[in-house]
Amino acid sequence: MNSTTALERIAAQAAQSSGKPVNRVDGRKKVMGEARYAGEFFADGMTYGFALPSRIATGRIVSIEAARALELPGVLMVLTHENRPNMPLHDDAYKDQSAPGGMPFRPLWDDRIWYSGQPVALVIAESHELARHAASLIDVTYERTDHRTDFREAEADAYPPSTEKGGFEPPPAPRGDADAALMAAPVSIDQRYSTPAEYHNPIELHGCTVIPEPSGKFTVYEKTQGVLNTKQYLMKVFGFADDELEVISPFVGGAFGSGLRPQYHLPLAVMAARDLKRPVRVVLTRQQMFTFAHRPMSLQRVALAANKDGKLQAVIHEAVSETSQYEDYCDVMVNWAGQLYACDNVRLDYKVSKLDVPTPADMRAPGAAQALFPLEMAMDELAESLAIDPLKLRLINYAERDGNKNLPFSSKALRECFEEGAARFGWENRPLAPRSMREDNELIGWGVATGIWDAMQNEASARAEITADGRVIVGSATADIGTGTYTAMSQLAADAVGVPLEAVDFRLGDSRLSKAPLEGGSWTVSSVGSAVHAAGVRLCGKVVALAREHGGAAFASALPEAVRIDGDHVACGDGAEERLPLGELMKRAGLDTIDAQVTVTPHDKQQSYSMGTHSAVFVEARVDEALGAVRVTRVVSAVAAGRIVNPKTAASQVSGGVVWGISMALHENGQFDHELGRQMNHNLSEYHVPVNADVHDIDVIFVDEHDDIVNPLGAKGVGEIGVVGVAAAVANAIWHATGKRVRDLPITLDKLFA
């Protein structure tokens, strides 16, 4: 079966089949404690590392005295910039697949301090507790220099990131004259908004276990969203040959961007394991989780103008966000404004400012999560000025084409999202004026916002194999960060091969498996899923061909579509069926197993379309009039994401995104002491996130949407879309409840009372 035929069959089967809300295939392992994470693998002679953080924000290390630490029985090593192994000099050796432009961070490279919390030493001991205690005995003398961590002070020095350094695509060129249209329009709003630094806090701490083997090979168990990315990074940095290194990551306890890049614990652990020739485990503390990946702070201006009927005349979105001193990290923040609404006059601009902080990183819906907050809040402010229902205003300005690219959408069921979400929520009963609804001492408000995220597909490969007893083994070197990848891929493989879900064993998180992209961007089902399904189709085709060749007269004369796999047999015919054991078929064909390897790449026709996932978010917020306490009591999220492979896990993803959006709106805020240049609330006691009492009813609707352009499966992915727009909908609901606009996240009671 050639690849064209396989892809045609994928499309046909995807169009005919509907997703089933099955339980997670890996669920039992997780609840029974059988799932093993990066810091839970063990080997004889295990040692433990603790990274000592810098106490200053910028400057240099004058001296490091480690004698007291090394005197402790059981302390094996203290690695510093003075005794680390020789490392490559050129920056490219340290760049991974998701690295932004600039110089990648190299732990223990030299005496320079870039940010507070930067690792300055690694202690290796025979227990984690001993390593941590020994680190406290190390005396580091610093020479401090002036630092800058106040983002508002740095805004004046913002600059457009260089496209030559990589990692950044400039905003679309202006269309029309947005500034003139803004001045001429009868109704306009022009406001500034801000979002704080937010920090990745998955339950599983970042860590790894590095095991050297007698043969010279290294096995690395790492918390990562891409085992191949991790392997390539380590091969470049340490000079491993391909067959000298294996990276394994079967389970990840949450990541959503923090695991895209190798973090500093990984090269430190490999350094120590190579030197000691013993297994090394390094797991960061919760405080150290605040010393690398985070969503960058942003300052944004949104200006909108409309005629008296509500038709947009101008859209201006300008943003500045933070980056580190050594890399140009850029979220795509302003593009969405030019894509989401129809307008002839649009100007978008984006800059970054350098701070003495670690490089930010992708965090669930990077760019869109921050940018949709001011854009969708500004749409509400414009609706208020026009005395138009905010949902009606969005429909008046509905974009039938992507204005940035001047391309049609491959599919866009956003109107249906608005319609079905509004009906479920009861939006028609919303009074236009704020402070119109209350119950006892609580003011009640209803808010709405639009969500959008790119639908993307990357090249991916998968291998499928069927054994004599009818077991189907499928593998691809992707990841499961808690999103349900094991389950969705098993479903797609079962559907393609024609076997029960229980007969499928899907394998991931191993660098020996078929190539797969990083798990991020909501493209895993689109990319890896397409490859898995294609491999299953090809495998099924091989079984059918072998049955017709070696199965006897009945199979030889049967139409190919009449031959199928039935448990550990192949069968054909209606009524009185002809059946042949798979093992016998393989024996006749001289095979132990039957396998198929497939690589699926994006189709050229995708270039002629804009592809995206859309949502409509409706929120009810209640605000205690006396205390200012906010409760988000009801959320309806209506999502158009093409084919939904598993509605149960997909709804879970969207619900999790909604919780994250509530957290963004009301809770999360990295707070700095600018005298020290250090984040002060680097723990889960003072860095606030929602708890059970903060989350009430969340209703997820998947709107029917067919798309045969976005990928062979017609699936767009839902990892990101759940969070986008939620913070804006919450802010809009709070305004409707109180009449108070809070344009700086998070919305806390002090701001409501200001």
Side-chain angles (χ1 to χ4, degrees):
M1 183 182 295
N2 60 46
S3 58
T4 302
T5 305
L7 293 179
E8 290 172 350
R9 180 169 175 177
I10 291 172
Q13 290 193 9
Q16 295 169 1
S17 61
S18 59
K20 297 179 180 179
V22 302
N23 292 334
R24 293 174 182 262
V25 298
D26 55 329
R28 180 176 175 81
K29 285 186 177 180
K30 288 183 174 179
V31 300
M32 296 297 290
E34 297 171 5
R36 298 175 72 188
Y37 296 81
E40 296 180 327
F41 289 88
F42 191 81
D44 291 339
M46 182 68 69
T47 64
Y48 302 83
F50 182 83
L52 178 66
S54 163
R55 298 195 309 272
I56 67 170
T58 58
R60 296 191 176 276
I61 300 170
V62 176
S63 64
I64 298 181
E65 297 296 336
R68 287 198 300 157
L70 290 168
E71 288 172 357
L72 295 176
V75 173
L76 306 174
M77 170 188 289
V78 176
L79 267 178
T80 71
H81 69 279
E82 297 175 338
N83 65 347
R84 64 159 175 80
N86 290 329
M87 308 288 281
L89 295 174
H90 55 285
D91 289 346
D92 287 347
Y94 302 87
K95 283 185 177 290
D96 65 282
Q97 291 177 23
S98 63
M103 180 195 76
F105 178 69
R106 290 168 276 196
L108 307 188
W109 180 252
D110 56 22
D111 62 357
R112 181 165 181 175
I113 301 300
W114 294 94
Y115 63 88
S116 179
Q118 171 184 324
V120 298
L122 180 74
V123 180
I124 303 294
E126 292 181 347
S127 73
H128 173 77
E129 294 78 10
L130 178 58
R132 186 166 186 168
H133 171 61
S136 70
L137 301 179
I138 297 174
D139 185 17
V140 184
T141 303
Y142 299 97
E143 179 184 292
R144 297 174 184 266
T145 56
D146 292 339
H147 61 264
R148 183 167 65 179
T149 55
D150 190 331
F151 185 43
R152 293 185 183 273
E153 290 182 0
E155 183 184 11
D157 298 328
Y159 62 95
S162 171
T163 58
E164 296 178 0
K165 295 180 180 180
F168 178 66
E169 181 179 341
R175 55 182 187 265
D177 190 337
D179 295 281
L182 179 69
M183 295 294 293
V187 182
S188 65
I189 65 103
D190 190 343
Q191 297 290 350
R192 294 185 178 272
Y193 309 79
S194 71
T195 63
E198 299 171 11
Y199 289 81
H200 287 279
N201 272 291
I203 294 301
E204 181 198 10
L205 300 166
H206 275 265
C208 65
T209 304
V210 181
I211 302 176
E213 300 176 7
S215 64
K217 179 181 177 181
F218 278 70
T219 301
V220 177
Y221 297 94
E222 163 71 340
K223 177 189 175 83
T224 177
Q225 291 173 245
V227 289
L228 295 176
N229 185 38
T230 299
K231 179 174 180 176
Q232 290 163 9
Y233 169 83
L234 293 176
M235 288 172 64
K236 289 190 299 181
V237 172
F238 293 99
F240 288 110
D242 182 68
D243 60 355
E244 293 177 331
L245 182 66
E246 183 181 326
V247 179
I248 299 175
S249 183
F251 295 97
V252 176
F256 289 98
S258 64
L260 290 174
R261 303 187 67 180
Q263 305 299 348
Y264 62 73
H265 66 275
L266 178 64
L268 292 178
V270 174
M271 284 184 205
R274 279 167 60 103
D275 192 83
L276 290 172
K277 297 180 174 55
R278 288 180 62 174
V280 173
R281 176 183 298 162
V282 177
V283 177
L284 300 183
T285 66
R286 182 58 64 184
Q287 289 75 21
Q288 290 170 335
M289 293 291 290
F290 290 82
T291 60
F292 53 94
H294 63 281
R295 195 191 298 280
M297 292 178 271
S298 77
L299 298 171
Q300 302 180 58
R301 174 201 176 201
V302 176
L304 304 176
N307 63 23
K308 292 183 178 180
D309 295 327
K311 180 63 179 173
L312 283 170
Q313 304 298 298
V315 173
I316 297 173
H317 193 174
E318 301 170 338
V320 179
S321 72
E322 55 155 317
T323 188
S324 67
Q325 295 288 353
Y326 48 90
E327 287 181 300
D328 278 352
Y329 175 82
C330 312
D331 276 342
V332 179
M333 293 180 63
V334 298
N335 295 17
W336 314 99
Q339 182 181 14
L340 197 52
Y341 297 109
C343 184
D344 295 331
N345 302 291
V346 178
R347 182 170 63 78
L348 310 171
D349 187 47
Y350 182 49
K351 294 182 173 67
V352 294
S353 286
K354 288 187 177 295
L355 294 179
D356 296 310
V357 297
T359 302
D362 292 337
M363 181 185 279
R364 201 173 196 172
Q370 305 101 296
L372 268 289
F373 161 65
L375 177 63
E376 289 300 287
M377 194 171 179
M379 284 294 286
D380 251 49
E381 296 190 56
L382 185 63
E384 178 191 357
S385 299
L386 290 160
I388 292 177
D389 180 272
L391 178 54
K392 181 180 179 181
L393 181 65
R394 287 166 172 81
L395 291 169
I396 289 171
N397 294 286
Y398 191 90
E400 301 292 351
R401 292 174 65 86
D402 181 340
N404 288 344
K405 302 174 182 177
N406 193 24
L407 292 174
F409 294 100
S410 60
S411 62
K412 185 183 178 184
L414 179 57
R415 286 188 190 277
E416 291 79 1
C417 290
F418 285 134
E419 181 181 350
E420 295 187 30
R424 184 77 62 88
F425 189 82
W427 186 261
E428 63 181 9
N429 298 317
R430 177 188 184 271
L432 196 61
R435 300 183 70 90
S436 298
M437 299 188 294
R438 69 166 58 238
E439 184 175 304
D440 298 328
N441 62 329
E442 288 185 315
L443 299 169
I444 302 172
W446 290 356
V448 66
T450 310
I452 184 172
W453 182 252
D454 289 329
M456 298 170 278
Q457 181 188 4
N458 292 304
E459 180 178 301
S461 302
R463 181 179 182 275
E465 173 187 337
I466 191 166
T467 62
D469 60 357
R471 296 292 302 172
V472 175
I473 302 166
V474 186
S476 184
T478 184
D480 190 336
I481 60 174
T483 52
T485 306
Y486 276 110
T487 308
M489 299 303 156
S490 297
Q491 287 181 270
L492 290 169
D495 182 44
V497 181
V499 297
L501 182 64
E502 297 75 22
V504 176
D505 178 11
F506 181 71
R507 298 174 182 176
L508 55 70
D510 191 321
S511 59
R512 295 169 296 183
L513 296 172
S514 302
K515 290 184 178 180
L518 292 164
E519 186 179 52
S522 296
W523 61 54
T524 298
V525 168
S526 172
S527 307
V528 181
S530 293
V532 165
H533 203 284
V537 169
R538 183 168 295 181
L539 177 64
C540 185
K542 282 191 169 186
V543 173
V544 169
L546 285 172
R548 297 185 73 213
E549 181 179 356
H550 300 285
F555 286 98
S557 60
L559 293 173
E561 55 266 27
V563 181
R564 62 192 181 281
I565 299 169
D566 185 9
D568 58 357
H569 285 68
V570 287
C572 69
D574 297 320
E577 294 186 339
E578 186 76 17
R579 290 169 57 82
L580 177 69
L582 271 169
E584 177 60 26
L585 176 61
M586 293 178 189
K587 183 177 180 181
R588 293 181 188 181
L591 300 171
D592 295 323
T593 61
I594 304 170
D595 63 78
Q597 173 84 25
V598 169
T599 297
V600 175
T601 58
H603 199 284
D604 290 343
K605 63 184 178 182
Q606 293 179 2
Q607 303 303 313
S608 301
Y609 294 88
S610 177
M611 303 181 298
T613 305
H614 298 85
S615 69
V617 186
F618 298 84
V619 166
E620 177 182 274
R622 294 175 176 242
V623 182
D624 188 298
E625 190 171 20
L627 301 177
V630 179
R631 297 192 301 141
V632 174
T633 49
R634 193 159 56 97
V635 179
V636 173
S637 180
V639 177
R643 178 191 178 197
I644 305 300
V645 174
N646 186 330
K648 187 171 188 176
T649 55
S652 176
Q653 281 300 291
V654 175
S655 296
V658 169
V659 173
W660 206 325
I662 294 170
S663 186
M664 182 178 185
L666 302 179
H667 301 282
E668 295 192 52
N669 184 12
Q671 296 176 318
F672 271 77
D673 181 324
H674 298 302
E675 290 295 319
L676 297 174
R678 181 182 307 163
Q679 187 188 342
M680 303 307 292
N681 59 337
H682 55 312
N683 54 68
L684 290 185
S685 173
E686 296 165 305
Y687 181 84
H688 295 165
V689 295
V691 296
N692 287 346
D694 296 309
V695 180
H696 297 266
D697 293 338
I698 300 175
D699 192 358
V700 178
I701 302 169
F702 289 115
V703 172
D704 287 339
E705 184 178 60
H706 175 73
D707 194 324
D708 57 6
I709 302 296
V710 69
N711 55 66
L713 297 173
K716 293 183 176 180
V718 295
E720 258 81 9
I721 193 64
V723 69
V724 181
V726 176
V730 172
N732 293 335
I734 291 172
W735 169 81
H736 189 238
T738 65
K740 176 80 173 180
R741 294 281 185 192
V742 179
R743 301 182 181 93
D744 303 301
L745 294 183
I747 302 172
T748 48
L749 57 86
D750 57 312
K751 295 172 185 174
L752 285 172
F753 281 132

